[in-house]
Amino acid sequence: MSAIFYHSTKQKMLAEQTREEQQKNHVSPIVTKIVQAGPFYNAENYHQKYILRQHRDILDTLNLSDEDIISSPLACKLNGYLGGYGDYEDFLKDTEGMSLTRKQLGYVEQQLKKAPHF
């Protein structure tokens, strides 16, 4: 099942409108449910940025607390790149805004070069 959770009437209307527009491009019915959002609970810390957590060599050098890992844009980007989302050129563009050391950059570059889409 897929779902879109909305917080306001405007979001609900936009979701319904988008689903209707996209339906014109598909033969099968789009069955994505549009549901009012309820309470949100963060998963346990060990689930947060799971892929980044598997790369202890870089994670330990970032000096992020568990709370920081959840909210850090840097942790989010690294988690994505290390998970195979994005390519080397995208990473190089993003590094301008990242405060990584040469050693940290080298580690991520090395991991990206191992990826099948490199």
Side-chain angles (χ1 to χ4, degrees):
M1 177 184 98
S2 64
I4 297 172
F5 297 95
Y6 65 88
H7 294 274
S8 67
T9 304
K10 182 179 179 181
Q11 287 179 341
K12 180 181 180 183
M13 289 174 32
L14 287 170
E16 290 171 341
Q17 178 184 355
T18 302
R19 182 176 61 186
E20 288 170 16
E21 289 171 4
Q22 290 300 311
Q23 184 61 63
K24 295 173 187 172
N25 301 322
H26 299 276
V27 175
S28 300
I30 296 176
V31 295
T32 299
K33 302 204 181 299
I34 298 173
V35 184
Q36 185 171 10
F40 179 81
Y41 304 98
N42 280 332
E44 291 85 2
N45 287 339
Y46 64 90
H47 290 294
Q48 303 293 334
K49 309 300 182 292
Y50 181 79
I51 295 169
L52 176 59
R53 288 181 185 270
Q54 304 312 302
H55 293 269
R56 299 299 307 190
D57 291 342
I58 190 165
L59 180 62
D60 291 344
T61 67
L62 296 173
N63 298 316
L64 298 172
S65 67
D66 282 333
E67 292 79 25
D68 292 338
I69 290 173
I70 293 170
S71 61
S72 166
L74 175 61
C76 183
K77 287 181 180 184
L78 291 175
N79 190 67
Y81 283 118
L82 292 170
Y85 302 96
D87 57 29
Y88 188 65
E89 289 81 27
D90 292 333
F91 175 70
L92 290 178
K93 290 176 196 169
D94 263 348
T95 57
E96 296 171 13
M98 295 181 188
S99 55
L100 296 175
T101 66
R102 286 189 187 275
K103 186 174 181 178
Q104 292 166 327
L105 286 170
Y107 177 85
V108 178
E109 287 177 353
Q110 180 183 14
Q111 298 305 308
L112 288 173
K113 289 178 182 176
K114 292 179 184 177
H117 67 277
F118 180 73

